[in-house]
Amino acid sequence: MTFQNELINWYQINKRDLPWRHTKDAYIIWLSEIILQQTRVEQGLPYFIKFLENFPTVNDFASATEAQVLKLWQGLGYYSRGRNMHKTAQIVVNNFSGVFPNLHDELLKLTGIGEYTAAAISSFSSGEARAVVDGNVFRVLSRYFGIDTPINSPAGKKQFFTLANELLYQDDPALYNQAIMEFGAMQCKPKSPNCGICPLSQGCFALNHQQVNELPIKIRKAAQRHRYLNYFICQEGNQILVRKRKAGDIWQHLYDFPSIETVNESALNEENFISSVKESFGQNTVFTHLTSRKHILTHQIIHLRFFVLKNYIFNFNKQKELNWVSLDKLDELPQPKVIHDFILEYL
DNA sequence: AAGACGGGGGA
DNA sequence: TCCCCAGTCTT
């Protein structure tokens, strides 16, 4: 049996029953594909269901506010996906009469849709012959064909993309694309793949050369950067001061609190730290430590400290991103996971 | 070509 | 700890 037929055969026996596999509706497939970018099926599935319930059609999605979209997205990470979906939904409504495109070249123009997602939506929705190349495909091809070009190098991406399209099963691109990804996710897993019961073991280069644990090759990224965010909780009766985060940093357009970033874990009684707080919030400012958190992102390790602030002064003309909200409305705002957890525990 | 961008889970 | 996850966008 050919490589392609082995994969398809394996898939038809072992595939999971996932909701987005029962439709060719480009809108629903788009929803699932964006949610599943860099996200495990188990983590994304509840969000897919929630989004489809709240936005049954692309028109419903486009009519929402960005804050409503981000609130639904809260906790899933990579929030630009949510913001880009909102933009794309509005483009589809305004420029495509609400009919979601299902051809590769049209999809690729939309924001948030790259090569992988354009191939996925177009093949699943319209049957277009475009090979998907995601983390699963890199791994399966790298191991089976013994390719040691780093998958995150430009040369590697080109090589794997070319090979994937040569291998694409022309009779049913959608079925083959599903099959190779599912095979990578469930059988040819990153750690301890089930080579003992693998239908492709005989022709697998990595297995036959004891390189299963070495392939695929990936270039290491730079170490994480440490950041120290000091948050200030300002409460007046039922009102609390929040900040909408701006472009150019993490958690764009999500809400947290006024803060001061320091270059290191400055001691609480350090003159330097005290004076910078007073410089920002007035000489009479008093702050007391409430709690601390550590939050780990892909490129940053964030050390958070929370303080209660009293006798402060804010210049709202200069800090337009600050706003008072009542405590009972606080949970309506989209928040970073670590901030949301803090609020649940302390407010 | 390299970095930035979240959060969760497995070994 | 480290790696990976149905990647994309920006610099």
Side-chain angles (χ1 to χ4, degrees):
Chain A
M1 218 182 327
T2 64
F3 175 79
Q4 292 87 340
N5 282 321
E6 287 284 12
L7 283 176
I8 289 168
N9 191 41
W10 177 93
Y11 176 70
Q12 285 170 335
I13 295 168
N14 296 287
K15 67 180 173 188
R16 291 168 288 186
D17 182 19
L18 300 172
W20 46 85
R21 289 186 175 155
H22 298 299
T23 183
K24 289 193 174 182
D25 184 327
Y27 167 68
I28 296 176
I29 294 169
W30 168 71
L31 219 47
S32 72
E33 290 300 338
I34 304 295
I35 287 172
L36 292 174
Q37 287 169 4
Q38 294 292 286
T39 304
R40 291 170 201 284
V41 167
E42 309 85 74
Q43 190 189 2
L45 183 54
Y47 284 84
F48 170 79
I49 293 168
K50 191 164 64 170
F51 267 85
L52 199 52
E53 276 173 6
N54 280 270
F55 308 134
T57 70
V58 68
N59 287 289
D60 299 315
F61 203 126
S63 304
T65 66
E66 185 186 84
Q68 287 172 325
V69 173
L70 289 175
K71 189 64 196 178
L72 286 175
W73 201 272
Q74 180 176 292
L76 193 55
Y78 283 157
Y79 296 93
S80 65
R81 291 183 289 171
R83 290 187 280 107
N84 287 335
M85 285 183 99
H86 191 227
K87 280 186 213 159
T88 286
Q90 299 190 323
I91 289 170
V92 170
V93 168
N94 295 328
N95 301 358
F96 295 84
S97 310
V99 179
F100 212 98
N102 62 5
L103 294 180
H104 175 276
D105 292 354
E106 290 297 326
L107 289 161
L108 202 50
K109 293 179 196 162
L110 298 170
T111 172
I113 298 180
E115 277 297 342
Y116 163 77
T117 306
I121 300 175
S122 63
S123 68
F124 300 155
S125 181
S126 75
E128 193 173 343
R130 300 281 185 166
V132 293
V133 185
D134 72 336
N136 295 307
V137 175
F138 277 120
R139 186 168 54 256
V140 172
L141 298 185
S142 163
R143 285 177 175 164
Y144 187 83
F145 294 98
I147 301 170
D148 59 4
T149 315
I151 60 172
N152 55 347
S153 68
K157 282 176 185 165
K158 192 176 172 188
Q159 185 179 0
F160 282 93
F161 182 83
T162 302
L163 176 59
N165 276 290
E166 286 168 2
L167 292 167
L168 182 63
Y169 182 70
Q170 299 291 331
D171 291 348
D172 196 339
L175 179 62
Y176 171 78
N177 277 339
Q178 293 278 11
I180 190 168
M181 287 196 289
E182 187 80 334
F183 181 80
M186 300 185 64
Q187 169 77 26
C188 195
K189 296 178 292 184
K191 305 284 181 187
S192 52
N194 304 326
C195 300
I197 57 165
C198 179
L200 289 169
S201 60
Q202 197 168 1
C204 179
F205 180 96
L207 183 63
N208 296 328
H209 294 78
Q210 285 78 46
Q211 289 183 29
V212 173
N213 293 323
E214 280 65 54
L215 294 174
I217 304 286
K218 199 169 183 178
I219 302 167
R220 272 186 215 293
K221 301 266 172 97
Q224 291 160 304
R225 172 168 68 107
H226 287 263
R227 293 178 71 180
Y228 303 87
L229 302 185
N230 301 282
Y231 281 104
F232 299 97
I233 306 304
C234 305
Q235 212 173 328
E236 298 293 336
N238 187 33
Q239 303 283 105
I240 188 163
L241 203 54
V242 299
R243 168 184 59 175
K244 183 175 185 180
R245 296 188 64 89
K246 293 187 286 195
D249 201 354
I250 57 173
W251 300 328
Q252 194 174 325
H253 295 189
L254 273 62
Y255 289 80
D256 55 6
F257 304 108
S259 71
I260 294 177
E261 180 165 2
T262 52
V263 294
N264 57 23
E265 195 101 45
S266 51
L268 302 188
N269 54 3
E270 207 172 279
E271 222 169 284
N272 215 337
F273 182 65
I274 296 172
S275 65
S276 69
V277 174
K278 294 195 170 186
E279 194 177 316
S280 299
F281 305 127
Q283 289 303 315
N284 295 328
T285 300
V286 179
F287 58 94
T288 53
H289 179 248
L290 193 53
T291 185
S292 298
R293 290 273 193 289
K294 188 165 91 170
H295 191 66
I296 298 174
L297 307 181
T298 303
H299 296 295
Q300 303 180 14
I301 298 175
I302 308 197
H303 306 261
L304 308 91
R305 287 192 309 209
F306 294 88
F307 300 92
V308 174
L309 205 56
K310 297 290 180 195
N311 302 332
Y312 46 82
I313 301 166
F314 277 106
N315 186 340
F316 284 89
N317 291 323
K318 285 189 175 174
Q319 309 210 45
K320 293 190 165 98
E321 69 275 19
L322 295 179
N323 264 309
W324 290 102
V325 300
S326 65
L327 279 175
D328 47 306
K329 295 273 169 76
L330 186 55
D331 195 49
E332 294 174 13
L333 301 175
Q335 301 142 5
K337 179 71 163 63
V338 65
I339 297 295
H340 187 247
D341 289 348
F342 164 80
I343 290 171
L344 283 181
E345 190 169 348
Y346 283 90
L347 297 177

